Amino acid sequence: MRKIISKFITVFLLIGSFVVLMITNIALPDKEFSYSERRKLAQIPQLEISEIANGDFFEDLEAYFLDQFAFRDFFRKIDSFMRLRFLQQKEVKGIYIIDDSLYKIEYPLNEKSVQNIAQKIEQITQEYSQKLDVYYAVIPDKNYFGAQVEKHLSLDYQKMLMLMQEKIKSATYIDLFPHLKKEDYYHSDIHWRQDSIFDVVNKISAAMKTDYRVNRDNFIINKLSPFYGAYYGQSPYKIEADELIYLTNESINRAQVYNFYTSQYTSVYNEEYLNNVDGYDVYLEGAVPLLTIENETSKSEKELYLFRDSFGSSIAPLFIEEYRKIHLIDLRYVSFENVKEYIDFEAGNRILFLYSTTIINNSLTLK
Amino acid sequence: MLFSSISFLYYFLPVVLIVYFIIPNRGKNFVLLIASLIFYFVGEPIYSILMIASSLLGYIHGLLIDKYRGTKKAKVALISSIICGVGILGFFKYADFFIANINDLFKSELGLLHIALPIGISFYTFQILSYTIDVYRGQAQVQKSFIKFATYVSLFPQLIAGPIVRYTTIEDQLSQRSSSWDNVYNGSKRFIIGLAKKVIVANTLAEVGVLFANSNDKTVVLYWLVAISFMLQIYFDFSGYSDMAIGLGRIFGFDFLENFNYPYISKSITEFWRRWHISLSTWFRDYIYIPMGGSRVNVLKWIRNILLVWLLTGFWHGAEWNFIVWGIYFGILLILEKLFIMKILKKIPAIFHHFYLLFLVLIGFVIFNANNLSTALTNIYGLFGGLDIPLINSETIYYLRNYLVIVVVAMIASTPLLSKIVTKLKEKAKGLKALQVVEPILLSLLLFIVTGCLISGSFNPFLYFRF
């Protein structure tokens, strides 16, 4: 009798799980967005003969089923638990934790990518180095610090810098590595905190031979919460959400930002963007190909051309007081040839290429 | 459609199970046929027509062989069936291989056809051939119902990655089979175990290969880690799929034969091939090797027979030279074993037999896993320090640390140890009671972990799909 009951329970649990979860999946309404993963979820694909014939429809359907699966977050945690506790792996899909802060492994070094971005920098530099002072700086990813603590895999940073220095002959290198530490980055995100990079701003200013210096007293600290960073949703670990910090002062408040894509002026910060897929969009609208920050009240006539990634969005406001105009160019979304149609490179003073090691190691999609 | 997909597990399978068990017995084959066609259509929309056409050809040839039994026309029908089967397989699987080699050999510039390989074509073609040959030999009754024959060929549990189910194995069950509680219990248990072997073990081991491919700092130890991981991965991948196929078959009342029997505990290559992909090796034995005379011929002819069968076995796995070399490699080892090695092995302790077997199989799978012969040779050099690389570095240590547990778990699970423990427990009343409580919990847990792995995107198609 016990044997029969055991068999019944086994079949009930297994076949029952398939049936019950199928009914639950059908019954639950579809979600458009996953707040825990900070991303849009796949929606039911449109039924088209051509898509069915080439198999794309069924691939999209599987993606939809995966994204809309009932209790998705719970099942993701089961997978993470198995990897960390049972398989004793040191990270889950590259994400690991030290002191309630999340890190992501960037590895191995992609030499072609490093050479690619270095070549782009050198090409642009050669075009303007006679008229402008050109600098480049590299922002270490968080894993640079985390890997040293727990012996995770990390990029060969020395080799990366060496490869860049071999290619870039016409621009001056600014070493930011000694001016950052792991506490300068958000716990749940890839990015640095705006209130932790005064030292970086001062280092860049000094390297550019200007007297401009900043410290905490020059700014009002504003906080937004909760800020769920890019690693938060990918992480198997439960951590507290961050507070997103943005710094203001009179110059920043007065500055206007011209977005060449929308042809509209906006402000330096937009609090509403905290709820975007990437909350870091609060700074300068996030991923925008071409922006100019205009500080009409500036005593200076200087202009800075900042070739940047998302790290540049949070550091640029700290330079507003020093420049009348800061042009932010994101080569991930616009080619340099197109930029020249909108920006006059003859009018400015300095070019700064400021890229994180993550972009340098994955630069092959740069325009 | 893959067994290890959400579409299959949480949509297709429950619907098919509900409909299958609700419908009266006379409609069950039709339900399975429709379900199988949908299953195949999802993975291969266009090539579904090819599968149906192949089934139709097999069905008609079977009828013709039966109609003209005892006459030359029956033989003509059989030859026609073989030409059609081998021709279709040859065209869709091997055309570009032959064109590329002709171009290389004669410096010609024939254009490649770039034909996508229809999923499962090697499996269902061999099943159809086994049917027509068995009907010709009088070992199987001709199937007069196309629904039943098409159900046999397209039966979704074994359609795309085997095992190669002979028509004679399920001939009776196609007409009459019972749906018992025991079958559903045993089948679902077997299915979940196979699913866990594939998704938890094989997919995790597959990650090592990806890391290796992306590594700029390979070491000798990393070459070994990848080789061992792949050897375990392919076993858990393929035997997991076979478990799922056998389990699903059991749920629907079919008894498929076993396809694996702990091959890595073998003590010789000869024994290994009695335990690995049994349905394929017995197919080649019964339809190629024995008709050529098998071992009942002189030594030279026997060597020819072995080499030809193993060349074909290798070629069956893929249209690449490394598969051919892999097949011939095992053919040569089997010949050497029979002529010399077995005599030597008998004189040394049994433990060394295992090392001998595991080492040679590992080298075999290094050849198998490479994209081409040149890569295979590089990977073998890498194992023995033939490349200018260090023995170990921090990257390799990191990977070892991350994958050591799964490798050890896979090693233990590839032996009958767990099965023996369960058998021992069942022999004792207390053990049996404990098992009855633990089993449903453990199996449910496995299903939840598998679902978690799939949801998290740790997802790899079956290795044997390409065959």
Side-chain angles (χ1 to χ4, degrees):
Chain A
M1 189 61 188
R2 185 189 284 268
K3 197 175 174 182
I4 294 169
I5 292 170
S6 171
K7 285 183 180 179
F8 176 79
I9 292 172
T10 306
V11 170
F12 180 78
L13 283 175
L14 298 181
I15 306 291
S17 296
F18 293 134
V19 175
V20 168
L21 276 166
M22 178 185 73
I23 294 166
T24 312
N25 281 326
I26 292 167
L28 285 178
D30 289 350
K31 294 175 186 167
E32 280 195 18
F33 189 81
S34 165
Y35 284 95
S36 61
E37 294 174 70
R38 308 297 294 171
R39 68 178 185 88
K40 284 181 180 171
L41 300 175
Q43 301 299 304
I44 192 158
Q46 286 197 329
L47 202 60
E48 286 174 24
I49 300 292
S50 60
E51 298 282 295
I52 291 174
N54 64 25
D56 286 351
F57 174 79
F58 296 111
E59 276 183 29
D60 293 346
L61 194 65
E62 178 67 14
Y64 162 73
F65 287 151
L66 279 166
D67 271 11
Q68 300 291 346
F69 200 83
F71 319 116
R72 180 178 162 81
D73 289 345
F74 166 73
F75 282 111
R76 285 177 59 232
K77 286 208 173 358
I78 290 180
D79 173 61
S80 304
F81 183 83
M82 180 198 71
R83 286 175 177 276
L84 293 171
R85 301 282 173 252
F86 177 62
L87 300 181
Q88 291 291 306
Q89 295 188 332
K90 291 185 75 178
E91 25 83 16
V92 176
K93 295 188 171 51
I95 302 273
Y96 62 97
I97 188 167
I98 302 171
D99 299 335
D100 289 333
S101 190
L102 299 171
Y103 296 77
K104 184 164 192 177
I105 292 173
E106 177 71 32
Y107 185 86
L109 183 68
N110 183 344
E111 293 185 24
K112 276 187 187 168
S113 169
V114 178
Q115 284 164 342
N116 174 60
I117 193 167
Q119 195 166 341
K120 271 192 194 303
I121 291 172
E122 179 61 13
Q123 273 173 1
I124 298 169
T125 304
Q126 278 187 0
E127 205 171 329
Y128 294 100
S129 61
Q130 299 297 321
K131 296 164 193 156
L132 304 170
D133 297 327
V134 188
Y135 304 88
Y136 73 98
V138 175
I139 304 163
D141 60 300
K142 233 172 139 182
N143 188 46
Y144 171 74
F145 306 100
Q148 291 170 7
V149 179
E150 290 209 348
K151 291 192 176 168
H152 284 278
L153 292 174
S154 65
L155 297 172
D156 185 341
Y157 294 94
Q158 275 191 329
K159 192 168 187 183
M160 175 185 268
L161 295 176
M162 191 193 75
L163 288 169
M164 293 191 77
Q165 282 161 10
E166 274 175 6
K167 283 259 181 211
I168 306 170
K169 300 289 185 194
S170 318
T172 307
Y173 173 63
I174 306 172
D175 185 8
L176 300 183
F177 280 64
H179 301 274
L180 285 162
K181 53 191 181 303
K182 63 181 166 60
E183 292 78 14
D184 296 335
Y185 296 75
Y186 282 106
H187 285 188
S188 66
D189 198 47
I190 184 174
H191 296 104
W192 57 20
R193 297 164 58 98
Q194 202 185 29
D195 60 337
S196 298
I197 52 173
F198 301 124
D199 202 15
V200 172
V201 173
N202 293 338
K203 169 69 184 175
I204 291 170
S205 296
M208 288 177 165
K209 301 182 188 80
T210 73
D211 298 329
Y212 180 68
R213 299 290 182 272
V214 290
N215 60 50
R216 189 172 286 264
D217 298 336
N218 303 130
F219 301 96
I220 297 164
I221 294 177
N222 306 275
K223 294 177 181 176
L224 291 173
S225 65
F227 168 50
Y228 298 104
Y231 295 158
Y232 188 88
Q234 299 172 38
S235 163
Y237 310 94
K238 186 77 182 166
I239 64 160
E240 293 287 312
D242 279 297
E243 277 186 329
L244 187 118
I245 307 291
Y246 67 92
L247 305 176
T248 53
N249 59 20
E250 279 189 25
S251 300
I252 294 173
N253 291 340
R254 278 199 301 266
Q256 283 196 304
V257 181
Y258 185 71
N259 183 331
F260 286 83
Y261 184 69
T262 58
S263 305
Q264 283 183 341
Y265 278 98
T266 57
S267 55
V268 174
Y269 305 113
N270 191 329
E271 291 188 1
E272 285 175 15
Y273 289 172
L274 183 70
N275 296 321
N276 278 10
V277 174
D278 186 354
Y280 215 69
D281 289 355
V282 165
Y283 306 106
L284 294 171
E285 299 184 85
V288 178
L290 194 54
L291 292 172
T292 294
I293 304 174
E294 297 174 4
N295 178 11
E296 297 296 339
T297 60
S298 170
K299 292 168 193 167
S300 161
E301 287 301 320
K302 287 183 282 190
E303 290 187 26
L304 172 69
Y305 305 96
L306 178 60
F307 289 81
R308 53 89 185 208
D309 53 25
S310 51
F311 283 80
S313 298
S314 54
I315 200 171
L318 305 187
F319 284 109
I320 285 177
E321 207 158 338
E322 172 69 356
Y323 293 94
R324 178 167 286 269
K325 283 185 180 176
I326 302 172
H327 308 280
L328 291 101
I329 301 137
D330 196 334
L331 294 179
R332 289 176 297 175
Y333 309 108
V334 63
S335 72
F336 183 61
E337 290 309 310
N338 281 344
V339 171
K340 285 197 283 188
E341 291 174 20
Y342 298 97
I343 303 268
D344 177 11
F345 280 86
E346 305 289 329
N349 307 80
R350 298 187 182 97
I351 293 178
L352 171 62
F353 294 92
L354 181 63
Y355 284 103
S356 66
T357 49
T358 310
I359 294 296
I360 293 170
N361 205 45
N362 298 279
S363 78
L364 296 176
T365 54
L366 289 186
K367 307 281 183 198
Chain B
M1 198 184 293
L2 295 166
F3 288 165
S4 58
S5 67
I6 296 297
S7 327
F8 179 82
L9 294 174
Y10 290 104
Y11 290 91
F12 179 84
L13 186 59
V15 169
V16 172
L17 286 174
I18 291 167
V19 175
Y20 182 83
F21 285 106
I22 286 175
I23 210 135
N25 279 347
R26 64 178 186 280
K28 287 193 190 306
N29 278 343
F30 187 68
V31 170
L32 279 182
L33 176 61
I34 296 299
S36 300
L37 292 176
I38 294 170
F39 177 85
Y40 194 77
F41 182 80
V42 168
E44 287 286 18
I46 301 296
Y47 284 143
S48 296
I49 298 160
L50 181 69
M51 200 254 298
I52 295 167
S54 294
S55 303
L56 197 61
L57 280 171
Y59 171 72
I60 292 168
H61 279 116
L63 290 177
L64 290 173
I65 290 166
D66 186 58
K67 185 179 177 185
Y68 296 111
R69 188 173 295 285
T71 69
K72 276 189 179 177
K73 285 181 180 173
K75 198 168 193 172
V76 170
L78 174 68
I79 291 166
S80 163
S81 154
I82 294 170
I83 289 171
C84 287
V86 174
I88 290 170
L89 184 62
F91 179 75
F92 284 95
K93 189 166 180 175
Y94 302 106
D96 277 349
F97 173 81
F98 286 119
I99 293 171
N101 280 285
I102 287 168
N103 284 345
D104 283 348
L105 203 62
F106 300 106
K107 307 291 173 212
S108 55
E109 289 182 353
L110 299 172
L112 295 177
L113 302 176
H114 299 293
I115 302 165
L117 178 68
I119 292 173
I121 189 169
S122 307
F123 289 97
Y124 69 69
T125 302
F126 270 39
Q127 293 198 169
I128 293 169
L129 287 177
S130 81
Y131 164 74
T132 50
I133 295 169
D134 285 351
V135 170
Y136 178 79
R137 287 173 173 175
Q139 291 169 353
Q141 292 285 315
V142 70
Q143 179 53 264
K144 294 193 172 154
S145 157
F146 181 66
I147 299 254
K148 283 182 186 170
F149 183 74
T151 304
Y152 156 68
V153 175
S154 66
L155 200 58
F156 76 84
Q158 47 76 54
L159 171 62
I160 48 181
I164 301 166
V165 177
R166 306 264 188 101
Y167 178 74
T168 47
T169 306
I170 60 165
E171 186 177 5
D172 295 337
Q173 290 158 3
L174 277 169
S175 301
Q176 198 168 14
R177 60 185 179 275
S178 60
S179 303
S180 74
W181 189 249
D182 261 1
N183 275 347
V184 177
Y185 161 73
N186 287 319
S188 51
K189 196 168 79 170
R190 185 76 182 264
F191 177 77
I192 296 297
I193 290 168
L195 190 63
K197 281 167 80 173
K198 160 66 189 160
V199 176
I200 300 173
V201 185
N203 283 5
T204 309
L205 288 166
E207 292 167 12
V208 180
V210 176
L211 295 170
F212 173 81
N214 293 330
S215 172
N216 295 334
D217 298 305
K218 296 181 174 71
T219 63
V220 174
V221 175
L222 186 59
Y223 272 96
W224 278 97
L225 177 65
V226 170
I228 292 167
S229 298
F230 182 73
M231 187 172 157
L232 291 164
Q233 180 203 341
I234 195 165
Y235 169 67
F236 280 92
D237 192 287
F238 194 19
S239 73
Y241 193 95
S242 292
D243 286 336
M244 285 186 266
I246 292 166
L248 283 173
R250 186 76 51 82
I251 291 174
F252 295 117
F254 292 99
D255 287 315
F256 301 157
L257 298 179
E258 291 297 332
N259 209 21
F260 288 86
N261 183 20
Y262 302 107
Y264 293 149
I265 64 162
S266 306
K267 292 177 185 170
S268 66
I269 298 293
T270 312
E271 186 186 353
F272 175 79
W273 279 104
R274 286 195 201 114
R275 292 172 175 271
W276 179 278
H277 203 172
I278 299 164
S279 63
L280 181 71
S281 35
T282 51
W283 196 99
F284 274 108
R285 182 196 65 197
D286 294 347
Y287 297 110
I288 307 280
Y289 182 66
I290 291 175
M292 286 173 70
S295 58
R296 293 179 179 177
V297 286
N298 64 45
V299 175
L300 283 178
K301 279 188 177 172
W302 169 73
I303 289 173
R304 178 205 65 188
N305 293 349
I306 290 271
L307 287 178
L308 183 68
V309 164
W310 285 93
L311 182 145
L312 292 174
T313 303
F315 205 35
W316 179 89
H317 282 84
E320 289 291 344
W321 279 103
N322 63 306
F323 290 116
I324 295 173
V325 170
W326 176 76
I328 292 173
Y329 167 81
F330 277 111
I332 292 170
L333 286 174
L334 288 166
I335 292 165
L336 293 175
E337 262 192 6
K338 190 147 191 181
L339 294 178
F340 314 105
I341 298 172
M342 287 307 274
K343 289 169 195 162
I344 302 166
L345 284 177
K346 280 177 187 167
K347 292 174 187 169
I348 58 174
I351 184 80
F352 292 107
H353 299 189
H354 292 296
F355 286 121
Y356 153 82
L357 178 276
L358 291 172
F359 175 76
L360 291 176
V361 170
L362 182 135
I363 298 296
F365 280 130
V366 170
I367 299 168
F368 187 97
N369 190 27
N371 293 327
N372 50 54
L373 274 180
S374 159
T375 312
L377 277 175
T378 306
N379 292 345
I380 291 170
Y381 284 145
L383 288 173
F384 301 103
L387 306 172
D388 189 18
I389 50 172
L391 180 67
I392 194 163
N393 61 13
S394 56
E395 180 185 320
T396 301
I397 292 169
Y398 187 83
Y399 294 149
L400 271 174
R401 158 112 201 250
N402 262 3
Y403 291 95
L404 188 65
V405 173
I406 191 69
V407 167
V408 171
V409 166
M411 281 176 173
I412 294 168
S414 67
T415 70
L417 184 69
L418 292 174
S419 168
K420 280 181 180 171
I421 291 171
V422 170
T423 310
K424 284 270 178 202
L425 281 173
K426 280 181 179 169
E427 286 169 3
K428 294 177 183 172
K430 276 188 181 175
L432 186 63
K433 275 185 187 175
L435 269 182
Q436 284 164 350
V437 175
V438 168
E439 188 179 78
I441 298 169
L442 210 59
L443 289 169
S444 304
L445 199 64
L446 281 179
L447 178 60
F448 272 52
I449 293 173
V450 163
T451 308
C453 291
L454 295 177
I455 297 287
S456 292
S458 42
F459 185 66
N460 289 320
F462 290 102
L463 289 176
Y464 263 67
F465 265 22
R466 54 182 163 152
F467 309 134

